[in-house]
Structures are given as structure tokens and as C-alpha cells.
Amino acid sequence: MSGKINQLYKSLLLLTFTGVVLNACKKVEPIKFVGNDFVYFINNQQTTDGLNTTNIAQGYVNSQEFSFLLYFYQVDTLKTNTFYGGWRMFPLFIEADGHMSDKNRLVKVEVEGDGKEFIILPNPDSIYIPANGRERKLTVQIKRPPISDTTTKTATIILKDNDPFKPEQHVWSKVTYRFGNTLVTPVAYLWLQSRFGTYSVPKMLAIQEAVSRSDKSAWAADPNVKLVNQALHNVNQRDLSFDPFNLNELYYFMDIGNAALGVPYGYPDVTNAYWGISNKIIALTKVLIAEKRAAGHPILDPSGAEISFP
């Protein structure tokens, strides 16, 4: 019996020794990014290197929406991480969690949606987490659709980990932008409501149509327009234009009806001139409303009632 035990003991020693030798010869693999190693999009107003990644979810915004018609965004191309109207709008950063790398960590970005043709991504080689860092600003450009197109476009920017340690690419995070020349409520409409009444898309379209068909030379000679434009010059804003008078000009007119956006409350003559222009616009729109009603095509708001002014 003791012979068999000794033989078994020797066999176990041999197996243990073989295991040690094999482990000693085993190729050392690099550290893999696994488990809690993620890459995120983050939208926040303040970011710092060495971000406390436990708070990433609090800063993440998965959807952003804006209209190019609003005063702040009347640009040909909107860029993330850029100041509009004195505020840094649409901040967008790539954030890394988990192990830091001593090399730049490339990240892949893709775009999906019916608005992807309006998205301009930076050079792929510039989309990475820097060596020994956790974040990098990602500047994405969103081109404005033609002014005649008032539909809402949707573009989803998808972040993928492109790290060489990964056996495959994984979708980690998405941000969806909904944008276009969409007829949302103007920024300053609350101040205008006593004159223009309840906001509605049909009303905005009717105002634009009524003014656009009016005499352009009469607007150019209007003393109220001249006075308001002079006030706009004084605060480094562009002139009102009635030739052409498209939706962009309508929104610009409505949004300068606010002290913060151009027309100062502190100058009664300018304020009165602004209301004089408003009254003329409303009078022209009332004529159009009567014409449409007489032709059997009344202009109705979403409730089914004919649009009107106070």
C-alpha cells in the first residue's frame, strides 16, 4: 500500500512541477480593457481632466433639440462646444473610464438618421482619448438645411471603442440631435403675446406670407424700421430685412423684441417704433386672414379655430 502512495505522491509532484514550468513559459498578455472600462459621450458645462467617473451619468444628455430659426442659432453651421448668445451650447466630450493608457486611445464615431447628411465629423485621427488622460472635446458641425425646409432632421452620433485591445467594436454611447428650421416658439414671444396673441405654427406661416407679399420699398422707407435698425447697429446686431422676408427674418424680428437680444426697453422711441412695425405686420396678416376666409380656406390653428390677434 505504501508503494502505491509513494507513486501517487511522485505523480502529483511531477504534475505540480510541470504546471510551474508551463506558467513560467506562458506569454504575458497586455492588460485588457474589461469590466468597468467604458467610453462615454458626456454633455456638461464643466469638465476637468481626471474626471470623477462615478458622476458621468449625471452629466450625460442623450438628446438635444434646437431650431436654426431661433435668434441664437441663425448660423449656416452650428458647432458643438461653441458659444451662442453668450452661452456655451451643446457641449460634447468623450470621456474614458477604467484603466488609463500611455498612448492615445482612438475612438470611432458613426452617424445614423435622416439628418446624417448635415453632420460633419472631425478627422478620424483626431478622435481619441489622449495618453494618460480621460477626456477630449469633440467638435461636431451641424449644417443648416435650406430655409424652405421646415422639417425636423434626426442624426444620432454613435460612439464606439476602437481600442486595439478590444477583440471587437462595441457601441458605448449615443447622442441624438433633432434640428432644422422648425417653427418653435420664438425666444421673446412671451413679451409679444399681448400684441400677437397665442402662438401657433399656422399663425407664423400666415405672418410670413402676408409680409413677404407686401411692398418692399415701403418697408425700406418706413421711419420705424430705420429707427429700430439704428438701435440694432448700436448694439452690434444686424438690420431687419424685409426683402426677402422669410421665416428667418420673421424669427429675427420677434426675438429682437427683448432687451437682452437687441431692442432696449430703456428707449421709449425705439420701443414705440418696434410696436409700430408689429402693428403694421399684424394689419397685413389680418388682410390675408380675411382673404383666405372669403375664399373658403380659413387659416386654422391646431384647435380648429381661425387664427386671430387680440
Side-chain angles (χ1 to χ4, degrees):
M1 176 65 71
S2 60
K4 290 183 178 180
I5 292 176
N6 287 336
Q7 184 63 37
L8 178 61
Y9 179 70
K10 290 179 181 179
S11 298
L12 289 174
L13 284 177
L14 179 61
L15 287 172
T16 301
F17 176 76
T18 302
V20 170
V21 171
L22 288 175
N23 283 333
C25 297
K26 185 178 180 181
K27 181 181 177 181
V28 177
E29 296 288 341
I31 297 174
K32 297 181 183 294
F33 289 92
V34 295
N36 64 343
D37 300 285
F38 301 116
V39 183
Y40 299 88
F41 274 139
I42 188 166
N43 297 62
N44 57 354
Q45 294 296 338
Q46 297 179 348
T47 61
T48 59
D49 287 329
L51 177 75
N52 179 356
T53 53
T54 60
N55 294 326
I56 279 183
Q58 297 177 14
Y60 175 61
V61 179
N62 63 7
S63 180
Q64 296 274 14
E65 187 167 352
F66 68 95
S67 171
F68 278 103
L69 291 175
L70 294 181
Y71 175 85
F72 291 156
Y73 314 125
Q74 289 190 354
V75 293
D76 292 332
T77 304
L78 183 141
K79 299 178 182 178
T80 58
N81 304 305
T82 302
F83 283 85
Y84 294 99
W87 298 88
R88 188 180 73 171
M89 306 302 293
F90 309 107
L92 184 60
F93 289 73
I94 303 172
E95 302 283 354
D97 190 8
H99 297 287
M100 283 189 181
S101 173
D102 59 357
K103 297 179 182 179
N104 290 343
R105 183 177 177 182
L106 285 173
V107 175
K108 186 176 181 180
V109 174
E110 297 177 349
V111 184
E112 293 180 351
D114 61 4
K116 66 180 181 181
E117 65 180 289
F118 299 100
I119 303 297
I120 303 174
L121 296 176
N123 187 303
D125 293 338
S126 70
I127 306 176
Y128 59 84
I129 303 296
N132 301 310
R134 292 194 183 278
E135 71 174 15
R136 184 173 174 83
K137 185 184 298 182
L138 180 62
T139 299
V140 174
Q141 300 182 57
I142 304 176
K143 296 187 297 182
R144 183 177 194 169
I147 191 65
S148 58
D149 184 350
T150 59
T151 61
T152 299
K153 312 295 182 184
T154 300
T156 298
I157 301 176
I158 303 170
L159 185 66
K160 291 189 174 183
D161 191 348
N162 201 30
D163 193 282
F165 292 151
K166 290 286 185 181
E168 58 183 303
Q169 294 174 350
H170 301 276
V171 175
W172 292 116
S173 184
K174 301 179 181 181
V175 174
T176 298
Y177 291 95
R178 295 179 178 85
F179 60 92
N181 302 302
T182 46
L183 284 89
V184 296
T185 306
V187 174
Y189 199 82
L190 183 62
W191 188 59
L192 307 176
Q193 194 163 345
S194 63
R195 302 291 180 102
F196 284 88
T198 304
Y199 171 84
S200 73
V201 169
K203 180 178 286 185
M204 295 293 283
L205 294 173
I207 291 171
Q208 186 271 326
E209 180 182 350
V211 177
S212 65
R213 70 180 191 172
S214 63
D215 185 353
K216 308 298 186 293
S217 61
W219 285 110
D222 191 314
N224 287 330
V225 174
K226 291 181 178 180
L227 184 55
V228 170
N229 279 341
Q230 183 57 55
L232 291 171
H233 276 293
N234 294 341
V235 289
N236 299 315
Q237 303 294 331
R238 67 176 178 85
D239 286 354
L240 293 175
S241 176
F242 292 86
D243 187 16
F245 189 78
N246 53 29
L247 288 172
N248 204 62
E249 292 302 323
L250 171 58
Y251 270 78
Y252 181 62
F253 170 76
M254 288 191 163
D255 277 342
I256 63 168
N258 181 303
L261 299 180
V263 180
Y265 289 115
Y267 298 92
D269 56 339
V270 177
T271 301
N272 290 336
Y274 183 86
W275 289 132
I277 298 170
S278 299
N279 291 338
K280 187 174 179 179
I281 287 174
I282 291 169
L284 290 169
T285 309
K286 286 181 176 179
V287 171
L288 177 66
I289 292 171
E291 290 177 1
K292 295 283 189 180
R293 184 193 310 122
H297 303 291
I299 306 173
L300 307 180
D301 66 22
S303 71
E306 186 176 57
I307 64 170
S308 61
F309 298 88

